[in-house]
Amino acid sequence: MPKKAGGRGRSRIAAVVAAAATAALLGPAVAPAAATGAPAAPCTADTGPYQWELEQYLGLTADGRQSPADCAAIRGFQERVGVTPANGYAGLATHRAALVQAERARPNAAGRCPVRSRRIVCVDLDRQLLWVQRDGKPVFEAVAVRSGRWGQETRPGWHEITDRVIDETSQLYDDAPMPYAQYFSGGQALHGTYGDLFDGNGSAGCINLALADARRLWNTVRLGDAVVVWGTKPGTG
C-alpha cells in the first residue's frame, strides 16, 4: 500500500491497546465452564476444509472426516493457542495456527533466509510466515502473515526498512489503517491489521500481521534492518 505522508499520532493504536489491557485486567464477564464446574458444551462443528491437516497435526486418525473426538481435540488446540471462535471447526485460521506452531522452533530449517550478523526480517511467502533472525538465531519467533494477492504480489528479494510510521494510513486505499507500518519496498510495508488476518485472499502488496505481532515487530527491528522475501503466496503462482 502506498504511503500517505506523515502519521496521525498514537490515538487509534493507543485506544485499541488500552482497551485490550483493560479487558485483560477485568477478565471475562462470565466465568468459563471449567471454572464453574459446568460440563463443556458438546462440540458439533462440521468437517472443515483443513480437516485432514489438523487431524494429522494433532495425531488423530487422518481420514478427513469430523468426529466428536476430532472436534473436541481441535477445539482444545484452538483454546490453547488463542484461535477464535474456539468451536472445533478446521478452518484456515486454525490450520495457519497449527503451521506456525509446527514451524516455530526451526523456521529456517530449509536455509532460505540468509544467515548474517545483522538482523534480518525473513518473509516466507510459500508458508505465509515471518520471523526475525540474527546470526541464524531467531530473535522474533515465527508468526502468520498475509501477503499480496494475485496481481498485487509482494515483491521478493533483498530489501531494507526505509521508513517507519506508527499510526499510518494508506493514500491509495481510502485511508485504510496501517498500524506500525515499516516500509521496505516502495509503498509495500510490514504492518498490522485491525481485522481478521485470514479474511480475504491477500493484501494489496503489504505484509499484514496481527496487531499484537506488528507491535512486537516494531519494537524488535529498526531502520536499515534487512527484509528478505522469497517464495510464492499460494494461489498467486
Side-chain angles (χ1 to χ4, degrees), residues 115-179:
V115 175
R116 301 287 188 275
S117 59
R118 62 185 297 192
R119 277 190 303 266
I120 297 179
V121 181
C122 308
V123 182
D124 184 340
L125 301 181
D126 295 324
R127 296 181 294 168
Q128 294 287 285
L129 293 179
L130 175 151
W131 67 94
V132 183
Q133 64 184 38
R134 186 170 190 169
D135 292 320
K137 299 177 181 178
V139 296
F140 179 92
E141 63 189 11
V143 297
V145 298
R146 177 177 59 196
S147 66
R149 63 179 68 94
W150 183 84
Q152 295 178 301
E153 292 87 351
T154 303
R155 289 183 281 273
W158 184 287
H159 313 280
E160 290 188 350
I161 295 175
T162 56
D163 195 12
R164 290 167 25 112
V165 184
I166 198 170
D167 201 0
E168 180 66 301
T169 56
S170 169
Q171 185 179 35
L172 184 60
Y173 296 101
D174 300 320
D175 289 335
M178 300 169 59

Short mmCIF file of all heavy atoms in Angstrom, two decimals, residues 115-179:
data_model
loop_
_atom_site.label_atom_id
_atom_site.label_comp_id
_atom_site.label_asym_id
_atom_site.label_seq_id
_atom_site.Cartn_x
_atom_site.Cartn_y
_atom_site.Cartn_z
N VAL A 115 21.93 -16.20 6.56
CA VAL A 115 22.49 -16.07 7.91
C VAL A 115 23.52 -14.96 7.88
O VAL A 115 24.52 -15.04 7.18
CB VAL A 115 23.12 -17.40 8.38
CG1 VAL A 115 23.81 -17.22 9.72
CG2 VAL A 115 22.06 -18.50 8.45
N ARG A 116 23.27 -13.90 8.65
CA ARG A 116 24.16 -12.75 8.73
C ARG A 116 24.29 -12.32 10.18
O ARG A 116 23.51 -12.71 11.04
CB ARG A 116 23.63 -11.58 7.89
CG ARG A 116 23.45 -11.86 6.41
CD ARG A 116 24.79 -11.94 5.70
NE ARG A 116 24.61 -12.02 4.25
CZ ARG A 116 24.39 -13.13 3.56
NH1 ARG A 116 24.28 -14.28 4.22
NH2 ARG A 116 24.24 -13.10 2.24
N SER A 117 25.29 -11.46 10.45
CA SER A 117 25.47 -10.96 11.81
C SER A 117 24.50 -9.84 12.13
O SER A 117 24.36 -9.44 13.29
CB SER A 117 26.91 -10.46 12.00
OG SER A 117 27.21 -9.42 11.08
N ARG A 118 23.78 -9.33 11.12
CA ARG A 118 22.80 -8.28 11.33
C ARG A 118 21.41 -8.89 11.47
O ARG A 118 21.19 -10.06 11.15
CB ARG A 118 22.81 -7.31 10.14
CG ARG A 118 22.45 -7.97 8.83
CD ARG A 118 22.58 -7.06 7.63
NE ARG A 118 21.67 -5.91 7.68
CZ ARG A 118 21.45 -5.11 6.65
NH1 ARG A 118 22.08 -5.32 5.50
NH2 ARG A 118 20.63 -4.09 6.76
N ARG A 119 20.45 -8.08 11.93
CA ARG A 119 19.06 -8.54 11.99
C ARG A 119 18.48 -8.64 10.59
O ARG A 119 18.67 -7.75 9.77
CB ARG A 119 18.20 -7.58 12.82
CG ARG A 119 18.25 -7.79 14.32
CD ARG A 119 17.18 -6.94 15.00
NE ARG A 119 17.34 -5.53 14.68
CZ ARG A 119 18.01 -4.65 15.41
NH1 ARG A 119 18.61 -5.04 16.52
NH2 ARG A 119 18.10 -3.38 15.05
N ILE A 120 17.75 -9.72 10.35
CA ILE A 120 17.07 -9.92 9.07
C ILE A 120 15.63 -10.32 9.34
O ILE A 120 15.37 -11.28 10.08
CB ILE A 120 17.76 -11.01 8.23
CG1 ILE A 120 19.19 -10.59 7.87
CG2 ILE A 120 16.96 -11.29 6.95
CD1 ILE A 120 19.95 -11.64 7.06
N VAL A 121 14.71 -9.57 8.73
CA VAL A 121 13.30 -9.96 8.77
C VAL A 121 13.09 -10.95 7.62
O VAL A 121 13.28 -10.62 6.45
CB VAL A 121 12.38 -8.74 8.58
CG1 VAL A 121 10.91 -9.17 8.64
CG2 VAL A 121 12.66 -7.68 9.65
N CYS A 122 12.72 -12.17 7.95
CA CYS A 122 12.57 -13.24 6.98
C CYS A 122 11.09 -13.41 6.66
O CYS A 122 10.28 -13.63 7.58
CB CYS A 122 13.12 -14.55 7.53
SG CYS A 122 14.81 -14.45 8.18
N VAL A 123 10.72 -13.33 5.37
CA VAL A 123 9.32 -13.45 4.96
C VAL A 123 9.22 -14.59 3.95
O VAL A 123 9.69 -14.48 2.82
CB VAL A 123 8.79 -12.14 4.34
CG1 VAL A 123 7.32 -12.29 3.97
CG2 VAL A 123 8.99 -10.96 5.29
N ASP A 124 8.60 -15.68 4.36
CA ASP A 124 8.41 -16.87 3.52
C ASP A 124 7.00 -16.81 2.95
O ASP A 124 6.02 -17.09 3.66
CB ASP A 124 8.62 -18.11 4.37
CG ASP A 124 8.55 -19.40 3.56
OD1 ASP A 124 7.97 -19.39 2.46
OD2 ASP A 124 9.06 -20.43 4.06
N LEU A 125 6.89 -16.45 1.66
CA LEU A 125 5.58 -16.35 1.03
C LEU A 125 4.93 -17.72 0.84
O LEU A 125 3.70 -17.83 0.84
CB LEU A 125 5.68 -15.62 -0.30
CG LEU A 125 6.24 -14.20 -0.27
CD1 LEU A 125 6.25 -13.62 -1.68
CD2 LEU A 125 5.43 -13.31 0.67
N ASP A 126 5.74 -18.76 0.63
CA ASP A 126 5.19 -20.11 0.45
C ASP A 126 4.37 -20.53 1.67
O ASP A 126 3.26 -21.04 1.54
CB ASP A 126 6.32 -21.13 0.24
CG ASP A 126 7.10 -20.90 -1.04
OD1 ASP A 126 6.47 -20.50 -2.04
OD2 ASP A 126 8.32 -21.11 -1.04
N ARG A 127 4.94 -20.33 2.85
CA ARG A 127 4.28 -20.75 4.08
C ARG A 127 3.53 -19.61 4.77
O ARG A 127 2.90 -19.84 5.80
CB ARG A 127 5.32 -21.34 5.04
CG ARG A 127 5.98 -22.61 4.53
CD ARG A 127 6.98 -23.15 5.54
NE ARG A 127 8.13 -22.25 5.71
CZ ARG A 127 9.03 -22.36 6.69
NH1 ARG A 127 8.90 -23.34 7.58
NH2 ARG A 127 10.04 -21.52 6.77
N GLN A 128 3.64 -18.38 4.21
CA GLN A 128 2.99 -17.21 4.81
C GLN A 128 3.42 -17.04 6.26
O GLN A 128 2.61 -16.88 7.18
CB GLN A 128 1.48 -17.30 4.68
CG GLN A 128 0.96 -17.25 3.24
CD GLN A 128 1.05 -15.85 2.62
OE1 GLN A 128 0.27 -14.97 2.94
NE2 GLN A 128 2.04 -15.67 1.75
N LEU A 129 4.74 -17.05 6.45
CA LEU A 129 5.34 -16.90 7.77
C LEU A 129 6.35 -15.77 7.76
O LEU A 129 6.98 -15.49 6.73
CB LEU A 129 6.06 -18.18 8.20
CG LEU A 129 5.23 -19.44 8.47
CD1 LEU A 129 6.15 -20.60 8.85
CD2 LEU A 129 4.21 -19.20 9.56
N LEU A 130 6.54 -15.15 8.92
CA LEU A 130 7.56 -14.11 9.11
C LEU A 130 8.26 -14.37 10.43
O LEU A 130 7.61 -14.72 11.43
CB LEU A 130 6.92 -12.72 9.11
CG LEU A 130 7.81 -11.51 9.41
CD1 LEU A 130 7.27 -10.26 8.70
CD2 LEU A 130 7.92 -11.21 10.92
N TRP A 131 9.58 -14.19 10.45
CA TRP A 131 10.34 -14.21 11.70
C TRP A 131 11.53 -13.30 11.51
O TRP A 131 11.83 -12.82 10.42
CB TRP A 131 10.78 -15.63 12.07
CG TRP A 131 11.79 -16.28 11.16
CD1 TRP A 131 13.14 -16.30 11.30
CD2 TRP A 131 11.52 -17.03 9.96
NE1 TRP A 131 13.74 -17.00 10.27
CE2 TRP A 131 12.75 -17.46 9.45
CE3 TRP A 131 10.35 -17.37 9.29
CZ2 TRP A 131 12.86 -18.21 8.27
CZ3 TRP A 131 10.44 -18.13 8.12
CH2 TRP A 131 11.67 -18.53 7.63
N VAL A 132 12.25 -13.02 12.60
CA VAL A 132 13.47 -12.21 12.55
C VAL A 132 14.60 -13.03 13.14
O VAL A 132 14.44 -13.66 14.20
CB VAL A 132 13.30 -10.89 13.34
CG1 VAL A 132 14.57 -10.03 13.21
CG2 VAL A 132 12.08 -10.11 12.86
N GLN A 133 15.74 -13.03 12.46
CA GLN A 133 16.88 -13.77 12.97
C GLN A 133 18.15 -12.92 12.92
O GLN A 133 18.24 -11.95 12.15
CB GLN A 133 17.09 -15.06 12.18
CG GLN A 133 17.43 -14.88 10.72
CD GLN A 133 17.52 -16.21 9.98
OE1 GLN A 133 16.75 -17.14 10.23
NE2 GLN A 133 18.47 -16.31 9.06
N ARG A 134 19.10 -13.29 13.74
CA ARG A 134 20.42 -12.66 13.76
C ARG A 134 21.44 -13.75 14.04
O ARG A 134 21.26 -14.55 14.97
CB ARG A 134 20.49 -11.58 14.85
CG ARG A 134 21.78 -10.79 14.84
CD ARG A 134 21.68 -9.59 15.76
NE ARG A 134 22.81 -8.70 15.60
CZ ARG A 134 22.88 -7.48 16.11
NH1 ARG A 134 21.87 -7.00 16.82
NH2 ARG A 134 23.95 -6.73 15.92
N ASP A 135 22.48 -13.82 13.22
CA ASP A 135 23.44 -14.92 13.31
C ASP A 135 22.75 -16.27 13.19
O ASP A 135 23.19 -17.27 13.77
CB ASP A 135 24.23 -14.86 14.63
CG ASP A 135 25.17 -13.66 14.68
OD1 ASP A 135 25.79 -13.35 13.66
OD2 ASP A 135 25.25 -13.02 15.75
N GLY A 136 21.65 -16.30 12.42
CA GLY A 136 20.93 -17.54 12.22
C GLY A 136 20.03 -17.96 13.36
O GLY A 136 19.36 -18.99 13.27
N LYS A 137 19.95 -17.14 14.42
CA LYS A 137 19.13 -17.49 15.59
C LYS A 137 17.91 -16.57 15.64
O LYS A 137 18.04 -15.35 15.51
CB LYS A 137 19.94 -17.35 16.88
CG LYS A 137 21.16 -18.27 16.92
CD LYS A 137 21.96 -18.05 18.19
CE LYS A 137 23.19 -18.95 18.22
NZ LYS A 137 24.02 -18.70 19.44
N PRO A 138 16.71 -17.14 15.84
CA PRO A 138 15.51 -16.30 15.88
C PRO A 138 15.54 -15.33 17.06
O PRO A 138 15.86 -15.72 18.19
CB PRO A 138 14.38 -17.31 16.04
CG PRO A 138 14.93 -18.61 15.53
CD PRO A 138 16.39 -18.58 15.89
N VAL A 139 15.26 -14.07 16.78
CA VAL A 139 15.10 -13.06 17.83
C VAL A 139 13.65 -12.58 17.87
O VAL A 139 13.28 -11.79 18.73
CB VAL A 139 16.05 -11.87 17.63
CG1 VAL A 139 17.50 -12.31 17.74
CG2 VAL A 139 15.81 -11.18 16.29
N PHE A 140 12.84 -13.06 16.94
CA PHE A 140 11.40 -12.81 16.90
C PHE A 140 10.80 -14.07 16.30
O PHE A 140 11.06 -14.42 15.15
CB PHE A 140 11.11 -11.59 16.02
CG PHE A 140 9.64 -11.23 15.87
CD1 PHE A 140 9.05 -10.32 16.74
CD2 PHE A 140 8.88 -11.79 14.86
CE1 PHE A 140 7.71 -10.00 16.59
CE2 PHE A 140 7.54 -11.47 14.70
CZ PHE A 140 6.95 -10.56 15.60
N GLU A 141 10.00 -14.79 17.09
CA GLU A 141 9.52 -16.10 16.65
C GLU A 141 8.60 -15.99 15.46
O GLU A 141 8.00 -14.95 15.19
CB GLU A 141 8.79 -16.79 17.81
CG GLU A 141 7.55 -16.06 18.27
CD GLU A 141 6.97 -16.63 19.54
OE1 GLU A 141 7.63 -17.46 20.19
OE2 GLU A 141 5.83 -16.24 19.88
N ALA A 142 8.47 -17.09 14.73
CA ALA A 142 7.66 -17.11 13.52
C ALA A 142 6.20 -16.83 13.83
O ALA A 142 5.64 -17.37 14.79
CB ALA A 142 7.80 -18.46 12.82
N VAL A 143 5.59 -15.98 13.00
CA VAL A 143 4.17 -15.66 13.12
C VAL A 143 3.52 -15.74 11.74
O VAL A 143 4.20 -15.67 10.72
CB VAL A 143 3.94 -14.26 13.72
CG1 VAL A 143 4.50 -14.17 15.14
CG2 VAL A 143 4.55 -13.17 12.83
N ALA A 144 2.21 -15.88 11.72
CA ALA A 144 1.47 -15.91 10.46
C ALA A 144 1.35 -14.51 9.88
O ALA A 144 1.24 -13.52 10.61
CB ALA A 144 0.08 -16.49 10.70
N VAL A 145 1.40 -14.42 8.55
CA VAL A 145 1.23 -13.15 7.84
C VAL A 145 0.29 -13.35 6.66
O VAL A 145 -0.07 -14.48 6.30
CB VAL A 145 2.57 -12.58 7.34
CG1 VAL A 145 3.50 -12.28 8.50
CG2 VAL A 145 3.24 -13.52 6.33
N ARG A 146 -0.10 -12.23 6.05
CA ARG A 146 -0.87 -12.25 4.81
C ARG A 146 -0.17 -11.34 3.82
O ARG A 146 -0.01 -10.15 4.06
CB ARG A 146 -2.30 -11.74 5.07
CG ARG A 146 -3.17 -11.65 3.82
CD ARG A 146 -4.58 -11.22 4.16
NE ARG A 146 -4.61 -9.92 4.83
CZ ARG A 146 -5.66 -9.45 5.51
NH1 ARG A 146 -6.75 -10.19 5.64
NH2 ARG A 146 -5.61 -8.26 6.07
N SER A 147 0.26 -11.91 2.69
CA SER A 147 1.00 -11.14 1.69
C SER A 147 0.07 -10.75 0.54
O SER A 147 -1.14 -10.98 0.57
CB SER A 147 2.20 -11.93 1.19
OG SER A 147 1.78 -13.09 0.49
N GLY A 148 0.65 -10.18 -0.52
CA GLY A 148 -0.12 -9.65 -1.63
C GLY A 148 -0.89 -10.69 -2.42
O GLY A 148 -0.39 -11.78 -2.68
N ARG A 149 -2.10 -10.31 -2.82
CA ARG A 149 -2.96 -11.18 -3.61
C ARG A 149 -2.48 -11.26 -5.06
O ARG A 149 -1.55 -10.55 -5.45
CB ARG A 149 -4.40 -10.66 -3.57
CG ARG A 149 -4.57 -9.29 -4.19
CD ARG A 149 -6.02 -8.83 -4.16
NE ARG A 149 -6.49 -8.56 -2.82
CZ ARG A 149 -6.47 -7.35 -2.24
NH1 ARG A 149 -5.99 -6.32 -2.90
NH2 ARG A 149 -6.92 -7.20 -1.03
N TRP A 150 -3.14 -12.08 -5.86
CA TRP A 150 -2.80 -12.22 -7.27
C TRP A 150 -2.94 -10.87 -7.96
O TRP A 150 -3.94 -10.17 -7.82
CB TRP A 150 -3.72 -13.25 -7.93
CG TRP A 150 -3.38 -13.50 -9.37
CD1 TRP A 150 -2.44 -14.37 -9.84
CD2 TRP A 150 -3.96 -12.89 -10.51
NE1 TRP A 150 -2.39 -14.32 -11.21
CE2 TRP A 150 -3.33 -13.42 -11.65
CE3 TRP A 150 -4.95 -11.92 -10.68
CZ2 TRP A 150 -3.64 -13.04 -12.95
CZ3 TRP A 150 -5.28 -11.53 -11.98
CH2 TRP A 150 -4.63 -12.09 -13.08
N GLY A 151 -1.92 -10.49 -8.74
CA GLY A 151 -1.90 -9.20 -9.41
C GLY A 151 -1.34 -8.07 -8.58
O GLY A 151 -1.03 -7.00 -9.11
N GLN A 152 -1.21 -8.28 -7.27
CA GLN A 152 -0.64 -7.27 -6.37
C GLN A 152 0.33 -7.96 -5.41
O GLN A 152 0.34 -7.69 -4.22
CB GLN A 152 -1.74 -6.55 -5.59
CG GLN A 152 -2.67 -5.71 -6.46
CD GLN A 152 -3.77 -5.06 -5.66
OE1 GLN A 152 -4.57 -5.72 -5.01
NE2 GLN A 152 -3.82 -3.74 -5.70
N GLU A 153 1.16 -8.83 -5.97
CA GLU A 153 2.03 -9.66 -5.14
C GLU A 153 3.08 -8.83 -4.40
O GLU A 153 3.54 -7.80 -4.89
CB GLU A 153 2.73 -10.72 -6.01
CG GLU A 153 1.81 -11.79 -6.58
CD GLU A 153 1.18 -11.40 -7.91
OE1 GLU A 153 1.33 -10.21 -8.31
OE2 GLU A 153 0.57 -12.26 -8.55
N THR A 154 3.45 -9.31 -3.25
CA THR A 154 4.57 -8.74 -2.51
C THR A 154 5.85 -8.99 -3.29
O THR A 154 6.08 -10.10 -3.78
CB THR A 154 4.67 -9.38 -1.12
OG1 THR A 154 3.43 -9.20 -0.43
CG2 THR A 154 5.79 -8.75 -0.31
N ARG A 155 6.69 -7.97 -3.43
CA ARG A 155 7.91 -8.10 -4.23
C ARG A 155 8.97 -8.91 -3.48
O ARG A 155 9.35 -8.55 -2.37
CB ARG A 155 8.45 -6.71 -4.58
CG ARG A 155 7.59 -5.97 -5.59
CD ARG A 155 8.19 -4.64 -5.96
NE ARG A 155 7.95 -3.62 -4.95
CZ ARG A 155 6.86 -2.84 -4.90
NH1 ARG A 155 5.91 -2.98 -5.79
NH2 ARG A 155 6.73 -1.92 -3.96
N PRO A 156 9.47 -10.00 -4.11
CA PRO A 156 10.51 -10.79 -3.48
C PRO A 156 11.87 -10.09 -3.60
O PRO A 156 12.03 -9.12 -4.34
CB PRO A 156 10.50 -12.10 -4.28
CG PRO A 156 10.03 -11.67 -5.64
CD PRO A 156 9.05 -10.56 -5.41
N GLY A 157 12.84 -10.61 -2.86
CA GLY A 157 14.20 -10.07 -2.95
C GLY A 157 14.70 -9.55 -1.61
O GLY A 157 14.09 -9.74 -0.56
N TRP A 158 15.85 -8.90 -1.70
CA TRP A 158 16.53 -8.33 -0.53
C TRP A 158 16.15 -6.86 -0.43
O TRP A 158 16.36 -6.08 -1.35
CB TRP A 158 18.03 -8.50 -0.66
CG TRP A 158 18.81 -8.03 0.53
CD1 TRP A 158 19.04 -6.73 0.91
CD2 TRP A 158 19.47 -8.84 1.49
NE1 TRP A 158 19.78 -6.68 2.05
CE2 TRP A 158 20.07 -7.97 2.44
CE3 TRP A 158 19.62 -10.22 1.66
CZ2 TRP A 158 20.81 -8.43 3.53
CZ3 TRP A 158 20.36 -10.68 2.73
CH2 TRP A 158 20.94 -9.79 3.66
N HIS A 159 15.59 -6.45 0.69
CA HIS A 159 15.17 -5.07 0.92
C HIS A 159 15.71 -4.59 2.25
O HIS A 159 16.34 -5.34 3.00
CB HIS A 159 13.64 -4.97 0.93
CG HIS A 159 12.96 -5.68 -0.20
ND1 HIS A 159 12.86 -5.15 -1.47
CD2 HIS A 159 12.33 -6.89 -0.25
CE1 HIS A 159 12.21 -5.98 -2.25
NE2 HIS A 159 11.89 -7.06 -1.55
N GLU A 160 15.44 -3.32 2.56
CA GLU A 160 15.77 -2.76 3.87
C GLU A 160 14.60 -1.91 4.35
O GLU A 160 13.85 -1.34 3.54
CB GLU A 160 17.04 -1.91 3.82
CG GLU A 160 18.31 -2.72 3.60
CD GLU A 160 19.56 -1.86 3.75
OE1 GLU A 160 19.42 -0.61 3.84
OE2 GLU A 160 20.66 -2.44 3.78
N ILE A 161 14.45 -1.80 5.65
CA ILE A 161 13.42 -0.94 6.22
C ILE A 161 13.86 0.51 6.03
O ILE A 161 14.90 0.92 6.54
CB ILE A 161 13.18 -1.26 7.70
CG1 ILE A 161 12.60 -2.67 7.83
CG2 ILE A 161 12.23 -0.23 8.33
CD1 ILE A 161 12.43 -3.13 9.26
N THR A 162 13.06 1.26 5.28
CA THR A 162 13.44 2.62 4.90
C THR A 162 12.66 3.70 5.63
O THR A 162 13.08 4.86 5.64
CB THR A 162 13.22 2.82 3.39
OG1 THR A 162 11.86 2.52 3.06
CG2 THR A 162 14.15 1.90 2.58
N ASP A 163 11.52 3.35 6.21
CA ASP A 163 10.70 4.34 6.92
C ASP A 163 9.78 3.61 7.88
O ASP A 163 9.40 2.45 7.63
CB ASP A 163 9.88 5.16 5.92
CG ASP A 163 9.30 6.43 6.54
OD1 ASP A 163 9.71 6.79 7.67
OD2 ASP A 163 8.44 7.06 5.90
N ARG A 164 9.45 4.28 8.98
CA ARG A 164 8.56 3.68 9.98
C ARG A 164 7.56 4.75 10.44
O ARG A 164 7.95 5.85 10.80
CB ARG A 164 9.37 3.19 11.19
CG ARG A 164 10.20 1.99 10.87
CD ARG A 164 11.27 1.61 11.91
NE ARG A 164 11.10 2.00 13.27
CZ ARG A 164 10.85 1.16 14.29
NH1 ARG A 164 10.71 -0.13 14.05
NH2 ARG A 164 10.77 1.60 15.51
N VAL A 165 6.27 4.39 10.42
CA VAL A 165 5.22 5.31 10.86
C VAL A 165 4.27 4.52 11.75
O VAL A 165 3.64 3.56 11.28
CB VAL A 165 4.44 5.92 9.68
CG1 VAL A 165 3.41 6.94 10.19
CG2 VAL A 165 5.40 6.57 8.68
N ILE A 166 4.16 4.90 12.99
CA ILE A 166 3.45 4.06 13.95
C ILE A 166 1.94 4.04 13.74
O ILE A 166 1.27 3.06 14.05
CB ILE A 166 3.80 4.48 15.40
CG1 ILE A 166 3.45 3.37 16.38
CG2 ILE A 166 3.11 5.79 15.77
CD1 ILE A 166 3.98 3.59 17.78
N ASP A 167 1.36 5.12 13.24
CA ASP A 167 -0.09 5.18 13.05
C ASP A 167 -0.38 5.66 11.64
O ASP A 167 -0.92 6.74 11.42
CB ASP A 167 -0.71 6.11 14.09
CG ASP A 167 -2.20 5.85 14.30
OD1 ASP A 167 -2.73 4.95 13.64
OD2 ASP A 167 -2.82 6.55 15.12
N GLU A 168 -0.02 4.84 10.67
CA GLU A 168 -0.06 5.20 9.26
C GLU A 168 -1.43 4.90 8.63
O GLU A 168 -2.20 4.07 9.14
CB GLU A 168 1.03 4.41 8.52
CG GLU A 168 1.15 4.66 7.05
CD GLU A 168 1.60 6.06 6.71
OE1 GLU A 168 0.92 7.02 7.11
OE2 GLU A 168 2.64 6.20 6.02
N THR A 169 -1.72 5.60 7.54
CA THR A 169 -2.89 5.29 6.71
C THR A 169 -2.45 5.24 5.26
O THR A 169 -1.45 5.84 4.87
CB THR A 169 -4.01 6.33 6.88
OG1 THR A 169 -3.49 7.63 6.58
CG2 THR A 169 -4.55 6.32 8.30
N SER A 170 -3.23 4.55 4.42
CA SER A 170 -2.89 4.39 3.02
C SER A 170 -3.45 5.53 2.19
O SER A 170 -4.65 5.84 2.25
CB SER A 170 -3.45 3.07 2.50
OG SER A 170 -3.35 3.00 1.09
N GLN A 171 -2.60 6.14 1.38
CA GLN A 171 -3.03 7.21 0.49
C GLN A 171 -3.87 6.68 -0.66
O GLN A 171 -4.81 7.33 -1.11
CB GLN A 171 -1.79 7.95 -0.05
CG GLN A 171 -2.12 9.17 -0.90
CD GLN A 171 -0.87 9.87 -1.38
OE1 GLN A 171 0.15 9.22 -1.65
NE2 GLN A 171 -0.91 11.19 -1.48
N LEU A 172 -3.55 5.48 -1.13
CA LEU A 172 -4.22 4.93 -2.30
C LEU A 172 -5.53 4.23 -1.97
O LEU A 172 -6.47 4.25 -2.76
CB LEU A 172 -3.28 3.95 -3.01
CG LEU A 172 -3.77 3.33 -4.32
CD1 LEU A 172 -4.06 4.42 -5.36
CD2 LEU A 172 -2.74 2.35 -4.86
N TYR A 173 -5.60 3.62 -0.79
CA TYR A 173 -6.75 2.79 -0.45
C TYR A 173 -7.62 3.42 0.64
O TYR A 173 -7.80 2.87 1.72
CB TYR A 173 -6.28 1.39 -0.04
CG TYR A 173 -5.59 0.67 -1.19
CD1 TYR A 173 -4.20 0.62 -1.25
CD2 TYR A 173 -6.33 0.11 -2.22
CE1 TYR A 173 -3.57 -0.01 -2.31
CE2 TYR A 173 -5.70 -0.52 -3.29
CZ TYR A 173 -4.32 -0.57 -3.33
OH TYR A 173 -3.70 -1.18 -4.38
N ASP A 174 -8.15 4.61 0.34
CA ASP A 174 -9.18 5.25 1.17
C ASP A 174 -8.79 5.38 2.64
O ASP A 174 -9.59 5.12 3.54
CB ASP A 174 -10.51 4.48 1.06
CG ASP A 174 -11.02 4.43 -0.37
OD1 ASP A 174 -10.91 5.45 -1.07
OD2 ASP A 174 -11.52 3.37 -0.76
N ASP A 175 -7.54 5.80 2.87
CA ASP A 175 -7.06 5.99 4.24
C ASP A 175 -7.17 4.72 5.08
O ASP A 175 -7.40 4.78 6.29
CB ASP A 175 -7.80 7.14 4.93
CG ASP A 175 -7.41 8.50 4.38
OD1 ASP A 175 -6.29 8.62 3.84
OD2 ASP A 175 -8.21 9.44 4.50
N ALA A 176 -7.02 3.57 4.46
CA ALA A 176 -7.05 2.32 5.21
C ALA A 176 -5.96 2.33 6.28
O ALA A 176 -4.82 2.74 6.01
CB ALA A 176 -6.83 1.14 4.26
N PRO A 177 -6.27 1.92 7.50
CA PRO A 177 -5.27 1.96 8.57
C PRO A 177 -4.13 0.98 8.34
O PRO A 177 -4.33 -0.14 7.88
CB PRO A 177 -6.06 1.60 9.82
CG PRO A 177 -7.25 0.85 9.32
CD PRO A 177 -7.57 1.43 7.97
N MET A 178 -2.91 1.43 8.65
CA MET A 178 -1.70 0.62 8.53
C MET A 178 -0.88 0.76 9.81
O MET A 178 0.21 1.31 9.81
CB MET A 178 -0.87 1.06 7.32
CG MET A 178 -1.59 0.95 5.99
SD MET A 178 -0.68 1.78 4.63
CE MET A 178 0.89 0.89 4.65
N PRO A 179 -1.40 0.28 10.95
CA PRO A 179 -0.69 0.48 12.22
C PRO A 179 0.68 -0.18 12.24
O PRO A 179 0.86 -1.27 11.71
CB PRO A 179 -1.63 -0.15 13.25
CG PRO A 179 -2.46 -1.12 12.46
CD PRO A 179 -2.62 -0.51 11.11
#
